[in-house]
Amino acid sequence: MSQHAITATQSDGVGTIRFNRPERRNALSLELFGALGDHLDRWRRDDSVTAVVLTGGEEMFCAGLDLDLQSGFTPESRAAYAEACLRVYGTLLDYPKPTIAAVAGPTLGGGCDIAVFCDIRIGAENGIFGFPQVKFGLTPYFSPLWKIVGLSQAKLLTLSGELIDAAEALRIGLIDRLVPAGQVVEQATRLARSIAETTTKSAMFNKEMMLRSPAMDPISALSFETMAYREIVWHPDVVERISGAYDRIRSRS
């Protein structure tokens, strides 16, 4: 599997995956999907990576499925593509560490799906979002979308295939923060480093709560989150941080 469809780096607790097909506007290929899934799997149990940033750079995130692949689909390649989607989207949906999409320029079709499957979306002012494949009779992934923007807006995007700009994406909640063009990777990385400073263990406990609690009734969620707190509060990293903070406060008194 070619690794040239993406680049992957890690620093200060942040793993960054950058789509690397600018000549195709970072369109999704089997190679890109495979490399993305491989790196996500590799970082899943790597304690040196606390949060993951997905980006295509400052000019484009991802324009969706590569039309060369789609127009030449065979029964075998269509099945391989469906399997690749299930692997990567399923990995993102249940990933144990926080994921941040740093989106700029075209964020369309499968590219918009990838952003939606991430925990947080930081958008640049030059962003364009939507599911133009609807115009061809195809469908996006509706379930994660409506949970972010609500049923009415998800229906509008899904049924019409119309594109929206970054300001409208922010208004409906499709992106969480809007930043100037040219700064999206920097701002997403800054946020990821802030998350990494909480420790990998803490970030993973918080991510577990975010994944599980919404499906629970209020009392079950309370019990689950209390048990998570009881476990994390005794973790050596947390004990050390609390003790250090207490010592600093005591030294000033």
Side-chain angles (χ1 to χ4, degrees), residues 15 27 33 41 76 91 94 116 119 125 139 151 176 178 233 235:
F33 263 130
D41 288 346
E76 293 76 16
T91 296
D94 201 34
V116 165
D119 295 311
E125 290 176 339
T139 59
L151 277 171
D176 302 296
L178 181 61
V233 76
H235 192 270

Side-chain angles (χ1 to χ4, degrees), residues 126-201:
N126 63 348
I128 299 293
F129 306 84
F131 303 97
Q133 74 269 33
V134 171
K135 300 292 188 181
F136 302 114
L138 301 174
T139 59
Y141 285 84
F142 184 78
S143 179
L145 177 66
W146 82 258
K147 293 174 183 177
I148 293 170
V149 303
L151 277 171
S152 292
Q153 291 295 337
K155 290 174 182 178
L156 182 59
L157 289 169
T158 299
L159 292 172
S160 70
E162 293 180 353
L163 306 185
I164 60 174
D165 62 18
E168 178 67 1
L170 180 67
R171 188 189 73 81
I172 68 173
L174 183 57
I175 58 175
D176 302 296
R177 290 182 181 173
L178 181 61
V179 301
Q183 296 183 24
V184 71
V185 177
E186 175 189 348
Q187 293 300 319
T189 302
R190 182 198 61 76
L191 177 60
R193 286 175 177 158
S194 179
I195 293 171
E197 289 173 359
T198 70
T199 76
T200 300
K201 180 68 70 173

Side-chain angles (χ1 to χ4, degrees), residues 57-114:
E58 301 294 348
E59 299 298 327
M60 65 196 79
F61 184 69
C62 172
L65 174 60
D66 193 318
L67 293 180
D68 285 348
L69 173 63
Q70 181 171 303
S71 63
F73 264 152
T74 64
E76 293 76 16
S77 63
R78 184 181 289 109
Y81 181 72
E83 183 177 341
C85 287
L86 187 59
R87 177 200 179 190
V88 169
Y89 297 154
T91 296
L92 286 172
L93 185 63
D94 201 34
Y95 204 61
K97 298 177 178 180
T99 54
I100 302 173
V103 295
T107 304
L108 307 175
C112 200
D113 286 327
I114 288 176

